[in-house]
Amino acid sequence: MTKSFNVNGACKANRHYMVDLKSRLTAIKRMVDANEYFTINKARQFGKTTTLRALADFLKKDYTVISLDFQNIESIEFSDGSSFVHALAREINKKICKIKTIPDQTKIGLVQLADSENKNARMAELFSCVSDWCARSIKPIVLIIDEVDTAANNQVFLDFLAQLRAAYIDSDETPTFWSVILAGVYDIRNIKQKIRPGSDHRQNSPWNIAADFDVEMSFSAADIKGMLEQYEADHHTDMDLDEVAGMLFDYTSGYPFLVSKLCKLMDEKIAGTEDFPDKRAAWSKAGLLEAVKRLISEKNTLFESLIGKLNDYPEMKDMIYLLLFQGQTISYNADEPATDMLLMFGFIKVERETVHIANRVFEIRLYNYFLTLPEVQNGDMYRFALRDKNQFICDGHLDMERILKKFVVHFDDIYGDQDDKFLEEDGRRYFLLYLKPIINGNGNYYIESRTRNQERTDLIIDYHGEQFIVEMKIWHGNAYNERGEQQLIDYLDHYHLKKGYMLSFNFNKRKETGVKEIRFGDKVLIEAVV
């Protein structure tokens, strides 16, 4: 059977190209061996289910593993204690019915508890049955529950957690599960619970026994390269494994779904097109940039979920805007609800206690979202760019110098009389707004995170396989500008480019606006001042 890249559901090693999970599974097993209860909280499509399924197989030599999915329990079955006990006993029964080592007494007890006619089934009875089972079991029993946050807003689920906690605390006297692993998006240790309409929010959770889960689940460049080596062994594309793996990591920061989706696009959608006639052509820098362009423009459940969360939580939307357009440095504070939710949903990552957009793909998609809102596109700057866009493309190449020249003219005409505060906060946003309809459908852009701040931002533009670097900054005098020129030259060396661009927002009333060309050795800088 030919393998493929999978973006739907759990990956299976015999059917899909996968990264090697052994190091992660070994690290998680150490936690299980240590008798720990813990949660695995990651954003949507981050490989939780794939990891849990692989873990169940990895543990089965030393443990009896019961792996459940709370999505198999209907919402009505969380309505009261008896219904929940019936459903939970039923799901456990499905898993143990074929295990010969399970004591008959346990099977009989669970069958009785699963009987919907038993109107008085109680949580305590279920845990008594579990305790007896654990006492008789040849191997320690590990309970894994996926999609556990399906139940998070139900009182019976809190009761279930309380019973797990009580059993864990009393485990030296009364046998119980050796380890319990709960997985989902929301962290049930501190999730805001709203049990019934009109009730107050509750943040206390009985799951305060959980150990910290510090196992890295995103893919490294080395992980990605290992997966590509499997593909290369089957297809012999002669791709530059280090380059392609490095670029995949640079654009995704190792987000599992995004890595697999880009690979799937190159393999199944891009290879065989006019520009990329075969797999050898598709698995290249240009092919990957084309995959990024296609991914950014498509509708998928991950993007829909992310944008939906921004609309549901305005405070998160405001913080993302500050990160994208104003270059604000935001320190991570676990007690601040907006940053905590952004991290939980996967919008951001935390590096050196500072908040950053999680990856380039998300960043481009978020820029597109903010820059395509009706109130933005109805503005003059967007209309001017839309009207002029054809004059910026010559034989398929982007004329960045001409873009800067026209932007300076339009910006001065529209916003030249605005106050400084307006320009400082919004100037860079308007350049991105001007750029978007020009490259839309043929290119993408993102902000280089290492230079994102309130004074300087480097914009990287990918267009038909070509890259352009535009340094956007606030003017702070000639000396500061000269330092910026040298920084841009160094950056051009990093990207192996000979030409760079600077866009300065100057609030000196006696400023000289316009565009000029400056040469530094073998480098050319095109500087624009507005």
Side-chain angles (χ1 to χ4, degrees), residues 317-331 354-357 363 367 370 421 423-430 432 447-459 472-474 476 480 505:
K317 188 174 182 178
D318 293 341
M319 188 169 290
I320 290 291
Y321 182 89
L322 293 177
L323 282 170
L324 291 177
F325 294 106
Q326 295 187 18
Q328 289 200 13
T329 299
I330 300 177
S331 298
T354 303
V355 171
H356 304 272
I357 302 297
E363 180 170 293
Y367 272 123
F370 281 101
K421 182 176 185 299
L423 294 172
E424 279 200 56
E425 291 186 353
D426 294 312
R428 285 175 285 194
R429 176 166 66 94
Y430 281 110
L432 296 177
I447 301 299
E448 171 52 59
S449 61
R450 290 173 292 179
T451 65
R452 182 197 298 279
N453 56 57
Q454 289 181 302
E455 295 184 344
R456 173 179 174 235
T457 298
D458 285 331
L459 177 69
M472 300 184 291
K473 62 185 181 63
I474 308 300
H476 289 294
Y480 177 81
F505 296 90

Side-chain angles (χ1 to χ4, degrees), residues 89-90 93 105-116 129:
R90 178 193 69 226
N93 260 325
Q105 185 173 341
T106 298
K107 292 182 178 180
I108 293 171
L110 288 171
V111 168
Q112 292 174 341
L113 287 170
D115 185 357
S116 59
C129 181

Side-chain angles (χ1 to χ4, degrees), residues 51 196 317 344:
T51 301
R196 59 185 65 86
K317 188 174 182 178
M344 181 173 65

Side-chain angles (χ1 to χ4, degrees), residues 271-286:
T273 61
E274 182 178 353
D275 292 333
F276 304 94
D278 53 29
K279 293 185 185 297
R280 183 186 297 267
W283 287 92
S284 62
K285 178 179 178 179

Side-chain angles (χ1 to χ4, degrees), residues 12 61 66 80 82 85 113 119 122 145 183 186 207 209 259 262 277 302 325 343 370 390 393 414 489 499 519 528 530:
K12 300 173 177 62
K61 178 181 176 181
I66 307 302
D80 61 77
S82 290
V85 169
L113 287 170
K119 302 299 183 182
R122 297 171 56 244
I145 304 179
Y186 294 86
W207 196 242
I209 56 172
V259 173
L262 289 173
L302 177 60
F325 294 106
L343 184 63
F370 281 101
N390 290 334
I393 311 299
I414 301 170
I489 289 169
K499 181 180 283 190
R519 290 188 175 272
V530 295

